[in-house]
Amino acid sequence: MNSAVDTQALLVENQQLHAELQDLLEQARINQQIMQRHQAFDLRLIGSSEFRDLIETVSLLMPNTFSLEIVTLTLVDFAFDVRRILHDLQIGLDEYPNLLFLPENGPALPLEKPTLGPYQHELHQSLFPFYQPASVAILPLTRHQTLIGYLALGSAHEGRFTGNLATDFIERLASVVAICLENVINNERLKHIGLTDPLTGVNNRRYIEQRMQEEIGRAQRDRSALSCLFIDIDHFKRVNDKFGHQSGDDVLREVATRIKKELRLSDSLGRYGGEEFIVLLTQATLSDAERIAERIRASVAQQAIEIVGADEALQVTVSIGAAAQTPPDRSMPADQARQKLIASADEALYRAKEGGRNRVMLAG
């Protein structure tokens, strides 16, 4: 009798041990899957070489990897350096609502160690402007003892982030993100320098020709309109001869600034050479190009430009030729279409100068 009871007890115990072993194996399998997801995320993060890659990895992939409702990246950019680069890269801030910029007079956020706990509206609203989580982890991002931003993790579960949780893992995560962020910004700066005219700060000829070819290809596929403005500063040689090359440089910079103020984010401005500029207008007919060109012409002519060492401000005007492809010919290679568009705008510019300057002429 006792032998039968013992046998039954062993069977029950064995079944319990087997069930516990299965639970352990299942947990090990889950842990392995989690580890694999984390490793894949780390590789994707470290492999981000462009700003778009990094932002999409942080704001889209990270929530899925770590089962979070929201992740935002807030950058310290009081001098607008990063935002200028994003603008020139044609990256609109509306594309990435989870990419934010720290206000100069914002709330007192942690500067060194992560803080975990319940969401506090007054403290955390600027980091989560579009979604209010239940609990948050705020990770300062620092490089070389300098704060460069915050990684903010938000969960719908109150107990997900609490003050008594260990922070080793998320501190490591913050370090990796900070290094990747610095690397990407430096890469974009180098790229920006290589595609930027050092005198005026606008795009250089290499960039504008490359961008024009890309946009022509897109317009050919989408059957959309594309326009080009060729702009030349009138009598620019007289400025250099009378006031010197430094004053000529000042005029170039100011004219570039005035042109840029009249453009949309989707448009591109480039210095083509000497005193010539090219503007690429996307989704723009010849009529749209004429209207924008006239605004540019008036902006330059209406207010004289201050010249260092001159007794009075210098009155400067520009001549503009406008051409359009509505849409570009699909049968023509994009590079050939680009050359044709520039040549048409250049021919219209020639007629504007022949017609008396300080005017806009349209390609026939």
Side-chain angles (χ1 to χ4, degrees):
M1 185 71 176
N2 287 339
S3 176
V5 171
D6 290 343
T7 300
Q8 184 63 31
L10 284 172
L11 288 172
V12 170
E13 184 178 355
N14 188 55
Q15 289 173 346
Q16 290 174 341
L17 288 171
H18 182 74
E20 289 178 14
L21 181 59
Q22 290 302 312
D23 289 342
L24 288 172
L25 288 172
E26 178 62 17
Q27 188 59 52
R29 187 184 64 81
I30 293 171
N31 289 343
Q32 184 180 24
Q33 290 177 342
I34 292 172
M35 186 178 297
Q36 288 173 343
R37 287 205 309 272
H38 288 186
Q39 288 175 342
F41 173 79
D42 283 350
L43 290 173
R44 172 76 181 270
L45 186 64
I46 293 168
S48 300
S49 60
E50 297 183 349
F51 213 97
R52 287 184 186 276
D53 290 342
L54 180 68
I55 299 307
E56 290 175 2
T57 299
V58 169
S59 62
L60 300 177
L61 185 59
M62 187 179 287
N64 291 331
T65 302
F66 299 105
S67 301
L68 298 166
E69 275 62 48
I70 187 169
V71 175
T72 66
L73 180 63
T74 301
L75 303 183
V76 176
D77 186 39
F78 299 145
F80 284 78
D81 292 334
V82 175
R83 275 168 282 193
R84 259 187 231 107
I85 292 174
L86 295 182
H87 179 275
D88 290 334
L89 291 170
Q90 308 296 320
I91 298 178
L93 297 183
D94 56 340
E95 293 181 58
Y96 300 106
N98 291 349
L99 172 63
L100 309 169
F101 293 90
L102 191 71
E104 289 196 60
N105 298 315
L109 295 166
L111 296 176
E112 295 179 359
K113 292 288 185 179
T115 59
L116 287 69
Y119 173 85
Q120 300 177 50
H121 186 74
E122 299 78 10
L123 192 58
H124 301 135
Q125 182 186 19
S126 63
L127 302 178
F128 300 99
F130 308 113
Y131 176 80
Q132 181 174 314
S135 63
V136 301
I138 311 302
L139 287 56
L141 305 176
T142 59
R143 290 295 294 154
H144 313 296
Q145 290 77 53
T146 301
L147 180 71
I148 62 173
Y150 290 94
L151 184 67
L153 316 181
S155 172
H157 305 288
E158 292 183 4
R160 177 66 186 273
F161 297 115
T162 60
N164 59 356
L165 285 178
T167 60
D168 293 356
F169 175 77
I170 58 174
E171 284 189 57
R172 174 194 168 277
L173 178 64
S175 297
V176 173
V177 170
I179 292 170
C180 293
L181 179 61
E182 184 183 48
N183 179 59
V184 163
I185 290 175
N186 286 341
N187 284 343
E188 298 292 12
R189 280 181 175 142
L190 288 171
K191 200 185 307 176
H192 178 70
I193 290 169
L195 298 174
T196 302
D197 173 53
L199 175 62
T200 61
V202 302
N203 302 310
N204 59 20
R205 179 169 178 167
R206 175 184 161 209
Y207 173 88
I208 203 71
E209 288 186 339
Q210 175 183 313
R211 180 80 198 285
M212 187 175 289
Q213 191 158 324
E214 291 171 357
E215 289 299 334
I216 285 174
R218 184 175 291 112
Q220 286 174 328
R221 293 191 299 273
D222 299 343
R223 312 304 294 155
S224 57
L226 192 73
S227 298
C228 170
L229 306 180
F230 213 137
I231 304 171
D232 185 89
I233 301 176
D234 297 326
H235 302 300
F236 183 71
K237 186 174 184 300
R238 296 180 188 175
V239 178
N240 282 333
D241 291 345
K242 185 174 181 180
F243 300 103
H245 288 282
Q246 180 59 53
S247 297
D249 290 349
D250 292 341
V251 169
L252 284 168
R253 278 190 287 264
E254 179 59 24
V255 168
T257 298
R258 295 187 189 185
I259 295 172
K260 202 165 187 178
K261 284 181 179 177
E262 303 301 328
L263 303 180
R264 306 162 299 174
L265 180 62
S266 60
D267 301 328
S268 297
L269 167 63
R271 185 181 176 198
Y272 205 64
E275 67 272 26
E276 294 178 332
F277 295 90
I278 276 191
V279 174
L280 175 65
L281 304 169
T282 59
Q283 301 287 338
T285 64
L286 190 59
S287 176
D288 297 327
E290 181 181 21
R291 185 176 64 255
I292 295 170
E294 186 54 41
R295 285 208 314 260
I296 291 170
R297 185 205 63 77
S299 173
V300 174
Q302 282 171 1
Q303 186 176 353
I305 297 175
E306 298 291 336
I307 298 293
V308 177
D311 294 333
E312 59 183 30
L314 181 65
Q315 191 67 47
V316 174
T317 62
V318 295
S319 299
I320 305 176
Q325 295 180 349
T326 54
D329 185 355
R330 277 183 171 176
S331 65
M332 186 179 294
D335 183 53
Q336 188 177 337
R338 172 185 62 79
Q339 293 176 31
K340 182 179 178 181
L341 183 61
I342 293 175
S344 297
D346 190 23
E347 186 273 332
L349 170 63
Y350 176 79
R351 288 191 285 111
K353 298 183 85 66
E354 286 291 300
R357 295 182 170 83
N358 189 25
R359 65 191 61 214
V360 175
M361 294 295 289
L362 306 181

